[in-house]
Amino acid sequence: MTGVSFLASFLATGRLHGIGIGSALADVDRAFRHPFVDVVGDEGDWLRRDYGLVEFAFNPGADWVLATATVQLHRLASDDDLAAAWARSTGIEFPRYVSWEELWDEVSRAHDAPELRIRDQGGFLEYRALRSNVSVLVVDDEDEERGRRVGDGDVWSLDLWAPARPS
């Protein structure tokens, strides 16, 4: 699977390898077989699991329950080994950079393209898919060029958040 198709599916569905908001830590363990680092809050009130490219945050309960997920694409530009390690453990091959245009083209071709809300985030544009609750941060700075960092028009990250509860 290509990294762009993996990201397009995430943007359209809000799920990574079947994992979504409310999934248990054991579900994440089964879906992702890649080295990780766990960080637990001082009070044991949260857990963050960092796989290098993907991070999950969990809330406690009878089991740790997924609260957010982030794909940190910007890390690929500065870490030559990250994409290769990810491909070996997951079979997903990521390019060093992913442009918003390339990602949206894949979403539009392969999925029912979600409605987007677009907001300026000071140096970034946020494209939020209303149906999936996935936000895509895209670098919005003509002076940013590709190199050890992502450039103008490139995806910085994709973030999944729990839907807002009605008041």
Side-chain angles (χ1 to χ4, degrees):
M1 170 183 272
T2 70
V4 175
S5 61
F6 175 79
L7 298 171
S9 174
F10 181 44
L11 177 57
T13 67
R15 303 195 69 76
L16 289 167
H17 282 313
I19 302 303
I21 298 297
S23 293
L25 180 59
D27 297 328
V28 174
D29 287 339
R30 282 189 290 278
F32 290 91
R33 304 217 182 261
H34 188 80
F36 60 86
V37 174
D38 278 344
V39 179
V40 179
D42 292 336
E43 307 281 323
D45 53 351
W46 55 266
L47 165 69
R48 183 175 55 87
R49 177 164 287 180
D50 187 347
Y51 288 90
L53 183 60
V54 176
E55 290 184 15
F56 296 104
F58 299 86
N59 291 326
D63 191 5
W64 291 104
V65 178
L66 185 67
T68 67
T70 303
V71 181
Q72 303 278 3
L73 281 182
H74 62 92
R75 292 180 176 176
L76 293 172
S78 62
D79 186 341
D80 297 330
D81 298 325
L82 183 57
W86 194 260
R88 279 192 304 276
S89 68
T90 66
I92 302 169
E93 296 187 17
F94 281 93
R96 190 168 181 189
Y97 313 99
V98 175
S99 73
W100 167 247
E101 184 177 298
E102 180 182 17
L103 176 56
W104 186 248
D105 184 52
E106 179 71 19
V107 170
S108 299
R109 277 196 333 266
H111 301 277
D112 179 19
E115 179 183 347
L116 300 175
R117 183 179 68 217
I118 304 169
R119 295 188 314 174
D120 185 341
Q121 295 290 335
F124 295 92
L125 290 176
E126 177 193 36
Y127 295 85
R128 184 165 197 118
L130 304 177
R131 181 176 62 228
S132 65
N133 272 339
V134 174
S135 291
V136 181
L137 283 179
V138 177
V139 177
D140 185 34
D141 184 343
E142 292 177 0
D143 293 333
E144 288 294 329
E145 295 181 13
R146 286 180 170 176
R148 301 290 291 165
R149 294 176 48 129
V150 295
D152 186 48
D154 287 332
V155 176
W156 180 268
S157 65
L158 289 88
D159 300 289
L160 172 65
W161 297 91
R165 293 189 176 136
S167 313

